[in-house]
Amino acid sequence: MSQIDLKSSRALVLPDAPKASDPQRVRIGRMVIAALWLMLIAYRLGLDHGPHFRNSSALPDAQPLVLPKIHIIPTVTTGLGWIPTGLPTPQALPSVNPFAAVRTATGPLGRPQGKAFDWGDFGHDVMKRFWDDWIGHVIQPQFDAVPLPPHPYPLPSPPPPLYPEYYALPPDQILPDLTFPPDFLFGWATAAQQYEGAVQTDGRGPSVWDWTSRFPGYIADNTTADIADLGYYLYKQDLARMAALGGNAYSFSVAWSRIFPFGMKGSPVNEKGLKYYEDLVGYSRELGIEPVMTLFHWDTPLALQVEYGGFASPRIIDDYVNYAEVMFRRFNGTIRLWYTFNEPGVFCVQPGFPQNTTLPHGVSAAQYPYVCRRHLVLAHAKVYHLFKELNIQGEISYKNDDYLGIAWRRGRKEDEEAVKRHQAYYIGFFADPIHLTGDWPELVKAELPPDLLPRFSADEVELIKGTADFFAIDAYREDLISAPPGGIDACLRNRSHPAWPECVSKKDYDSSPYGWGIGEFAEPSMDWLHNSWQHIRPLLQRLNDMYPTTGGIYLTEFGFAEPHENEKPYLHQAIQDPARTHLLLSYLGEILKGIVEDGIPIKGVFAWSSVDNWEWNTGFKARFGNQFVDYSHPTLKRTFKRSAIEMSQFWKSHRAQADESVAAMSD
Ligand code: BGC
């Protein structure tokens, strides 16, 4: 026997080397040596990596990234994989979403303005032609049944603390003496286009986003919302999961084109669309979750865009009122909190596209944002009055967004003036007319000529004034505002200044020589977003002072895109979302203090969002969910993130003793 001294096998003893005179034996000997080597390597790999060679309770290590195959499930009733297994097995996450890959070559790219389609009898065949002609291929849902989730839905064990207690308290020990009021609404928000998927199912008509997402490059990852979260079939599961977290309210939006596939007054109502929302509302109530309805969250029926340019035309007003009336009559008594519009400020400045390709004659791209505002405000006001005339139960308003602003250099006149300008040009653009005066802010009227910003008549002013029962704000952040480089006046005189007409500059770092960032920053593709917890309470106080209502104030969206979350290769990494947890818990703490210590009438909060979803132009690249959605899993499996569990712990330990909120609203 001779010892072979080869790197890692010093101890291995092999048979004597064969004699040089016997080639056959030499070959056999070599084969034996090779086989022994292979066995050795396999053995060592087993020791180092294989759970089989350790002990039976050991967990396998994380596996490299593998893209699972898509299974088509025609009918599903149980076993979707949404019940947590309890095993924290590391799972590799695929990097692409096969359900959302867009077929860029289908559908027409840009259409001439003007009447481009014959709606005929608004029949099924016409709708089919419309889909085929304008959208092209649509990815169909991989299953078509609504599975019934277990109730109560099981929650995982809480995540272990990330930091020592002297640095970060456990959620139930934060502000232990403060409690939310008994009728406080606590829940999550989603929006139809971002969540539902099943865009062509049960008679739904296309929305503008179904169309624009087909344009290569319009959505950052070239995805569509064809499938999204498939909330159309998975809403019961999602509601059950929210209920398990303690949520007592759910804010969702209705896809107008599910109710009126062609959008227009006089075109048929789609009963199946109404039925979907009835089921959702009914199930929500069954679970003790107050359903809250937004009538419009940016998804204009494409037919209206094609026919007359959507919100560029006054024709949108009657069509919207007609749609709202159907919803009011159908949901009176089951919905108590209504919003007409989500974030009109964002909606009316969404990239000139698709409006530019479908603008009616007489409306330029420069005019569009203002014309859109005018039609939207009038549509809101008319719907508000209709709500009251029909004696619909509950309250109605619309969702503002943005912030009031803080002077970057406190005490500097120019920056203080810039803050006022920002208020007038942003929240004030809608809140001043609707909540206060019936008219555009004075500052804006003084600067924008009527050919750009159409004026309201005296009758319209009367119609618009005071058409909100409560103040709603999607308060994601507060920001620092300064005068633009070169000053406000120079900007005002120069229409081609990039900041014109608002003429302010936004800063996300302070004015100290060092220039500290305003707060924890979000995912880089969401460069507008940062955690400004220290400003949220004063912001809500200021809004309530500026726009007081009898119905109080709701934080209708708040949330965070965890930095680089979508790049995390493993599920256990992706569900660890400390930055989002910081934001949600610090906002909740500030809100609690705002209610108890400052007496701000905050009535409810809705985190954005219950699950990851399709983030408009960013596609699936940014995630906002408190639950992770595996877009590659055949059932779009949801997994609670840390933030969901910690938020739930905070709420459950700070809500009024018996959660009477829904009961109070049902009385
Ligand atoms: C919108 C949501 C959006 C969220 C995050 C909100 O302004 O209402 O639709 O997903 O911001 O960007």
Side-chain angles (χ1 to χ4, degrees), residues 190-191 194 297-298 342-343 346 399-402 474 476-477 526 528-529 557 559 561 608-609 613-616 618 624:
T190 63
Q194 299 175 269
H297 196 125
W298 307 350
N342 178 70
E343 302 188 1
V346 177
K399 288 164 76 191
N400 289 278
D401 78 294
D402 205 67
D474 294 354
Y476 280 81
R477 83 292 195 199
M526 296 284 119
W528 52 274
L529 186 54
E557 280 182 36
W608 184 270
S609 179
N613 52 51
W614 192 68
E615 179 55 27
W616 308 110
T618 315
F624 273 86

Side-chain angles (χ1 to χ4, degrees), residues 113 312-313 359-369 371 375:
Q113 54 190 19
S313 162
L359 283 177
H361 293 296
V363 178
S364 69
Q367 287 167 319
Y368 173 75
V371 171
H375 298 147

Side-chain angles (χ1 to χ4, degrees), residues 176-374:
D177 301 329
L178 305 189
T179 309
F180 286 104
D183 55 355
F184 193 78
L185 295 184
F186 172 90
W188 284 266
T190 63
Q193 184 78 43
Q194 299 175 269
Y195 169 71
E196 285 176 6
V199 294
Q200 211 178 20
T201 302
D202 289 341
R204 180 186 177 279
S207 75
V208 287
W209 286 91
D210 297 327
W211 175 52
T212 51
S213 57
R214 259 75 191 173
F215 287 71
Y218 189 66
I219 307 297
D221 55 1
N222 277 323
T223 56
T224 67
D226 288 3
I227 300 294
D229 294 323
L230 212 43
Y232 192 71
Y233 292 124
L234 294 174
Y235 66 93
K236 288 192 176 172
Q237 172 199 196
D238 289 337
L239 280 162
R241 293 173 71 99
M242 285 186 250
L245 293 171
N248 65 12
Y250 171 46
S251 165
F252 66 99
S253 85
V254 173
W256 183 346
S257 65
R258 254 191 221 291
I259 310 301
F260 281 94
F262 294 93
M264 293 161 219
K265 188 175 175 180
S267 67
V269 174
N270 179 26
E271 268 303 318
K272 284 185 177 165
L274 282 167
K275 172 87 172 48
Y276 164 66
Y277 293 108
E278 271 177 348
D279 289 350
L280 184 155
V281 165
Y283 192 69
S284 181
R285 289 207 160 276
E286 240 177 75
L287 297 185
I289 296 180
E290 182 69 31
V292 176
M293 187 185 282
T294 301
L295 291 172
F296 181 82
H297 196 125
W298 307 350
D299 43 359
T300 316
L302 180 61
L304 303 185
Q305 200 74 33
V306 170
E307 177 67 7
Y308 54 67
F311 280 81
S313 162
R315 289 175 60 189
I316 194 84
I317 300 172
D318 275 0
D319 285 339
Y320 178 75
V321 174
N322 172 62
Y323 153 61
E325 181 169 352
V326 167
M327 299 310 285
F328 287 160
R329 289 189 190 277
R330 190 62 76 109
F331 291 92
N332 186 20
T334 54
I335 295 287
R336 324 288 172 87
L337 213 53
W338 302 74
Y339 312 118
T340 53
F341 288 99
N342 178 70
E343 302 188 1
V346 177
F347 174 67
C348 286
V349 296
Q350 269 164 0
F353 194 90
Q355 293 88 351
N356 283 356
T357 46
T358 55
L359 283 177
H361 293 296
V363 178
S364 69
Q367 287 167 319
Y368 173 75
Y370 305 107
V371 171
C372 169
R373 283 170 162 88
R374 172 184 161 77

